[in-house]
Amino acid sequence: MKKLIVQLVFLSVLLPYSVKCRAKLFTIESSDIMMVLRTEKDSDVSLAYFGDKFYGYNSLSNKQFPARPDTKEAFTPMLYPAYGGRMTIEPILKLTHFDGNETCQMKLDSVAQRKVSENINRTTVYLSDKRYKLAVSIAFDAYWKENVITQQVTIANHEKGPVSLDRFYSSYLPVAASSYYLTHFYGTWADEMQIDETKLSQGTVSIETKKEVRATQSENPSFMLALNQPAKPDCGDIIMGALAWSGNFKLNFEVDECNTLNILSGINPFASSYKLPSKQTFVTPKMIITYSHTGYGQASRNLHDWALGYNLKGGNQPGKVVLNSWEGTSFNFNEEVIKTMIDNAAKLGIETFVLDDGWFGNNYPRNSDQQGLGDWQVNRKKLPHGVDALANYAVSKGLKFGIWIEPEMVNPQSDLAKAKPSWIVKSPYREIPTLRNQWLLDLSNPAVQNYVYQTVKQTIGLSKNISYLKWDANRHVESFGSTYLPKDKQSHFWIDYVNGLYSVYQRLRNDFPDIEIQLCASGGGRLDFGALQYHNEFWTSDDTDPFQRLKIQFATNLIYPPKATAAHVSKSPNYQTGNTSSLKFRFHVAMMGRLGIELQPKDLSEQELSFVKSCISDYKSIRHIVDFGDWYPLHSPYSGDNYAATQFVTKDKKEALLFAFSMDFHPRTYMPVFKLAGLDSHKMYKVMEICTSERSSFWGNNMSFSGDYLMNAGVNLNLNLRGESSLFYLQEQ
Ligand code: DGJ
């Protein structure tokens, strides 16, 4: 009897205990994907799952993770592995407390979940150090329709003195698969966003920059990860991620001894130790991630939809056709030249004229890139009646008017450089190296932030008819140092510069909500979702050669939306590469993004002008499909066979576009077959070749086919020579 009582007492103690011990699960979910957080003993929280949504997730509360080979203890993937816990991987947070202790041990305080809007659910995880008054909150926003989850961390210092932050990533994502194929986007000026796919093995690979400005010219803060097999457009598990930060970033991929891939994304900790005063908070940039089990096409479409809905300015407005003066005139223009360009632009059906570099500077006239940057007064010799006269002229011809500016920079030969030497980024006692003959202004300094704001405001104020701005930035940081920041905060420069830039943008956006702004930075040099949130489009690359652009735009559109991808038709031979191409091929490539023109129209023949006019008119009738439709990467220009094909389909599947390209010579005996995607199998579609003056490459041109046929039998095209291309418009019958 005594034994039974002891047993019952024992059970009654144990039962509630085991119920209490059962891990609690929190789901962060969208319509198709899900992240599951789990409370662990010792009030830890782990990331128990990320992937396709499923309903029997309750069993995750018992899921066991791989054990350490030596001690047999589990490697449970913590949600926030700070330095000082049991993890030996690169930590998401490493700091020095006010008293010199360099470790953290975080515990879970609470989890809060709420609806931000019909489409967004927010989960906030509150953690704090077990010993110190240091709090961390991690906010996850799940976008229901777009299947995108964003993550952002806030670190709050309630300690007695400052803490020094040495590492402060935005997100940690542990992934378990048999193998990992990482695609990153790399390049250089005029060759940005190239693709490389690498199989990861145990060890660390990082994608990073230390350039700060034009940070994305050599690496982009985004990635595509294929699990178990190389990335495919229409099958297989894909994780895509992009960091919304316009300065130094680091994406760290560490495969550990359990073959778990540990992904950390955030601001690059390199030389950026940050002193956080007591009672203050530090907010990391947002990391944006998505997942698809049907290949990278779907993951890209998720990011595009999210960008149009929640990131890009004017995401729901069609992109107008621009004529930009740069490749047509360079610095060599006057009022008459520009007025003639505007006249011709109007005749061609162009909707916005943009006056590029060269319109300013008097003591140091901007007639080349040698001088004048910083002196944002209209050059009286070139434009005696001011920019206002040109803007009014454009508007009188039915066009909008835009203007170029590079407000973060200064030429040594300028009034500004002479007046404000303390505003220039420089290392004390060192020479200040120039890049494109220019220096960088120190945006960590509030006086410089104000100057940049005032400069842009004043430039917009040159005419009430300026409604578009091209914001350029043509150098990165090489020798850094701030005369504004105190001695012990020089390492804040990298973070304060970007936050300074964002604060200027925010002010401008508040004051000029309707102005269109193109993100430029030498083309592709500041391409990230942090900068994009203030812009309507981005200048994809200074390389306008359509053969190069096929690759650059394809890789760019894996992450960033075609609608924002400024793609301009320029002259042949191309001024960067010397390649020749037909006007038709150039148009087809540019029509896959936001079409623009970079030509001097007066140099075109009558026949060319009429082709340009008809392509612009065709583009206007189909741009809603490019801007708001779904993007299907049918055939990658990187596939090695020198063919490329891309499709766009409207959300209601009533219309579609097929772009197909031959990038090199192929024997006439071969007809490439492109199987279409995203159509309704039961609908009939009429296939019509547009934007062409030649015989159709498709035997079935102007005929109707079922969606089923087009997606299974495909279309076989007569595209064989280098530079041949076709554009088909498909309409539901
Ligand atoms: C670099 C840009 O990418 C070009 O389009 C042009 O605006 C030049 N700067 C002007 O200096």
Side-chain angles (χ1 to χ4, degrees):
M1 182 65 183
K2 201 175 161 200
K3 208 171 156 198
L4 187 68
I5 292 171
V6 171
Q7 272 178 356
L8 280 176
V9 170
F10 177 73
L11 264 181
S12 68
V13 170
L14 205 131
L15 264 178
Y17 180 70
S18 66
V19 170
K20 224 165 90 195
C21 248
R22 199 185 153 86
K24 205 168 167 200
L25 301 176
F26 299 92
T27 60
I28 297 167
E29 51 186 301
S30 65
S31 58
D32 302 330
I33 68 172
M34 171 167 79
M35 231 179 216
V36 182
L37 313 184
R38 181 174 87 177
T39 56
E40 303 290 334
K41 66 177 168 39
D42 298 334
S43 58
D44 274 339
V45 57
S46 65
L47 213 163
Y49 177 82
F50 174 56
D52 272 328
K53 196 160 149 179
F54 64 101
Y55 290 98
Y57 64 84
N58 273 336
S59 303
L60 285 170
S61 56
N62 300 317
K63 180 180 169 177
Q64 294 190 8
F65 289 89
R68 287 171 194 259
D70 45 358
T71 66
K72 309 278 182 290
E73 283 158 7
F75 267 91
T76 306
M78 289 300 119
L79 178 67
Y80 195 75
Y83 179 74
R86 300 200 61 175
M87 311 291 279
T88 49
I89 54 166
E90 167 89 352
I92 190 166
L93 177 75
K94 153 79 180 70
L95 55 78
T96 308
H97 295 280
F98 78 103
D99 63 357
N101 186 341
E102 297 205 13
T103 62
C104 275
Q105 285 194 351
M106 309 302 288
K107 63 174 172 51
L108 176 68
D109 290 334
S110 60
V111 177
Q113 296 193 292
R114 72 177 175 93
K115 235 179 165 34
V116 174
S117 69
E118 207 32 59
N119 193 48
I120 307 172
N121 288 304
R122 177 166 302 162
T123 302
T124 311
V125 179
Y126 295 94
L127 307 166
S128 61
D129 190 280
K130 290 179 182 162
R131 180 74 181 67
Y132 288 86
K133 291 192 164 171
L134 184 95
V136 166
S137 61
I138 312 168
F140 297 89
D141 281 350
Y143 293 77
W144 187 264
K145 282 199 271 196
E146 295 78 13
N147 290 308
V148 161
I149 297 174
T150 64
Q151 180 172 341
Q152 185 168 40
V153 172
T154 302
I155 302 163
N157 176 15
H158 303 295
E159 297 184 16
K160 284 189 202 139
V163 299
S164 175
L165 304 173
D166 304 321
R167 268 158 175 67
F168 29 79
Y169 291 100
S170 300
S171 84
Y172 167 64
L173 186 65
V175 185
S178 62
S179 53
Y180 308 100
Y181 294 83
L182 174 68
T183 296
H184 74 118
F185 306 99
Y186 70 95
T188 183
W189 173 73
D191 199 25
E192 304 82 1
M193 292 297 276
Q194 303 297 303
I195 286 182
D196 178 62
E197 185 177 66
T198 312
K199 185 173 181 195
L200 299 178
S201 55
Q202 194 172 327
T204 301
V205 167
S206 66
I207 303 171
E208 61 179 317
T209 186
K210 301 185 183 84
K211 287 188 165 148
E212 182 74 352
V213 180
R214 286 204 315 190
T216 65
Q217 215 148 52
S218 41
E219 290 285 345
N220 194 271
S222 59
F223 69 87
M224 166 161 96
L225 180 76
L227 308 183
N228 308 317
Q229 58 176 332
K232 298 204 169 68
D234 49 7
C235 65
D237 294 345
I238 297 284
I239 296 174
M240 271 190 193
L243 183 75
W245 183 246
S246 309
N248 292 352
F249 61 82
K250 185 164 177 173
L251 312 178
N252 206 66
F253 298 83
E254 184 173 349
V255 179
D256 65 23
E257 65 230 78
C258 298
N259 201 41
T260 299
L261 171 61
N262 302 279
I263 309 173
L264 284 163
S265 314
I267 294 177
N268 197 336
F270 175 79
S272 293
S273 151
Y274 207 91
K275 278 208 175 57
L276 184 62
S278 181
K279 312 270 173 291
Q280 288 198 17
T281 54
F282 180 91
V283 183
T284 71
K286 275 189 185 154
M287 182 65 190
I288 297 120
I289 59 165
T290 187
Y291 167 85
S292 148
H293 72 272
T294 54
Y296 61 76
Q298 187 56 53
S300 302
R301 292 189 287 278
N302 292 349
L303 290 183
H304 296 170
D305 288 347
W306 175 82
L308 258 54
Y310 298 98
N311 186 255
L312 192 68
K313 286 278 165 236
N316 58 2
Q317 288 148 30
K320 305 259 186 224
V321 182
V322 162
L323 169 62
N324 185 290
S325 67
W326 179 244
E327 285 193 37
T329 68
S330 181
F331 297 100
N332 312 314
F333 57 81
N334 56 27
E335 193 174 289
E336 200 192 313
V337 168
I338 298 299
K339 279 190 163 169
T340 311
M341 263 184 131
I342 292 173
D343 286 338
N344 290 328
K347 285 185 204 144
L348 292 172
I350 284 160
E351 297 159 305
T352 301
F353 177 83
V354 179
L355 179 63
D356 209 285
D357 198 352
W359 58 267
F360 51 90
N362 287 297
N363 292 337
Y364 299 95
R366 180 77 171 168
N367 294 328
S368 74
D369 61 18
Q370 304 279 329
Q371 59 177 35
L373 271 187
D375 300 347
W376 301 104
Q377 298 80 32
V378 181
N379 181 296
R380 288 184 294 271
K381 215 158 159 197
K382 278 183 181 170
L383 306 176
H385 301 101
V387 163
D388 189 38
L390 292 179
N392 296 344
Y393 189 70
V395 168
S396 75
K397 296 280 170 180
L399 274 79
K400 289 170 150 237
F401 186 86
I403 195 160
W404 178 94
I405 191 164
E406 194 180 0
E408 296 155 75
M409 306 285 168
V410 62
N411 281 129
Q413 294 305 318
S414 67
D415 292 333
L416 181 71
K418 311 223 179 295
K420 298 283 183 195
S422 65
W423 283 6
I424 292 154
V425 173
K426 57 176 173 282
S427 306
Y429 316 118
R430 317 276 177 218
E431 205 184 309
I432 325 174
T434 52
L435 234 174
R436 207 196 186 208
N437 311 303
Q438 65 197 55
W439 291 329
L440 178 69
L441 298 178
D442 178 6
L443 266 173
S444 70
N445 181 345
V448 177
Q449 293 162 20
N450 193 45
Y451 153 81
V452 173
Y453 167 81
Q454 293 298 345
T455 298
V456 178
K457 186 177 170 185
Q458 173 199 309
T459 304
I460 296 171
L462 288 173
S463 169
K464 67 173 185 346
N465 279 323
I466 291 178
S467 52
Y468 178 111
L469 207 63
K470 174 175 176 179
W471 186 307
D472 210 344
N474 286 300
R475 73 157 297 162
H476 52 262
V477 183
E478 283 175 318
S479 152
F480 104 92
S482 164
T483 42
Y484 167 75
L485 292 170
K487 252 199 329 246
D488 64 335
K489 291 202 176 132
Q490 288 289 309
S491 58
H492 288 202
F493 169 79
W494 308 98
I495 293 166
D496 289 358
Y497 185 99
V498 179
N499 285 331
L501 177 70
Y502 288 169
S503 72
V504 173
Y505 270 122
Q506 196 50 60
R507 258 178 100 182
L508 287 165
R509 275 303 177 193
N510 292 344
D511 295 352
F512 305 97
D514 299 328
I515 193 151
E516 256 196 278
I517 312 184
Q518 186 194 62
L519 172 63
C520 180
S522 314
R526 197 179 255 164
L527 179 52
D528 65 84
F529 284 126
L532 211 50
Q533 66 184 312
Y534 303 107
H535 294 83
N536 301 65
E537 61 163 354
F538 56 86
W539 181 227
T540 317
S541 173
D542 265 355
D543 189 342
T544 49
D545 176 334
F547 292 99
Q548 306 283 111
R549 271 298 187 114
L550 271 176
K551 289 187 164 177
I552 295 173
Q553 289 176 206
F554 177 86
T556 297
N557 293 153
L558 285 172
I559 306 290
Y560 304 100
K563 179 186 186 308
T565 307
H568 293 184
V569 173
S570 63
K571 72 172 185 221
S572 170
N574 184 271
Y575 95 116
Q576 301 289 6
T577 66
N579 278 337
T580 55
S581 55
S582 70
L583 203 49
K584 172 176 154 184
F585 192 76
R586 279 174 273 157
F587 259 99
H588 288 175
V589 173
M591 286 165 88
M592 290 191 293
R594 173 164 172 183
L595 175 70
I597 309 290
E598 199 88 17
L599 291 162
Q600 171 50 286
K602 78 173 171 47
D603 295 342
L604 299 179
S605 67
E606 277 309 315
Q607 201 188 359
E608 286 172 324
L609 285 170
S610 109
F611 187 71
V612 170
K613 194 172 172 183
S614 75
C615 283
I616 291 175
S617 148
D618 282 349
Y619 178 75
K620 287 179 184 167
S621 67
I622 53 103
R623 68 177 154 201
H624 61 285
I625 313 176
V626 175
D627 285 352
F628 311 117
D630 284 332
W631 180 78
Y632 286 88
L634 283 194
H635 193 95
S636 163
Y638 290 87
S639 57
D641 64 358
N642 287 309
Y643 280 117
T646 298
Q647 201 192 327
F648 294 84
V649 185
T650 53
K651 299 274 181 202
D652 61 8
K653 297 183 187 291
K654 289 185 172 173
E655 295 172 286
L657 296 169
L658 168 66
F659 294 85
F661 304 90
S662 166
M663 297 159 71
D664 211 338
F665 170 70
H666 300 85
R668 286 276 172 203
T669 47
Y670 182 63
M671 276 173 102
V673 179
F674 300 112
K675 291 187 181 178
L676 273 54
L679 301 175
D680 183 332
S681 343
H682 305 295
K683 281 187 171 140
M684 291 298 290
Y685 294 91
K686 186 170 179 190
V687 178
M688 294 165 273
E689 187 155 1
I690 58 168
C691 192
T692 184
S693 53
E694 296 153 14
R695 219 181 101 224
S696 176
S697 65
F698 183 37
W699 56 268
N701 188 31
N702 290 322
M703 289 165 58
S704 292
F705 300 88
S706 65
D708 205 22
Y709 175 90
L710 295 167
M711 292 194 288
N712 288 290
V715 293
N716 56 339
L717 304 177
N718 246 316
L719 291 179
N720 302 90
L721 300 184
R722 175 178 163 80
E724 284 188 329
S725 61
S726 289
L727 164 54
F728 297 96
Y729 169 61
L730 282 74
Q731 191 177 43
E732 181 196 11
Q733 294 305 289

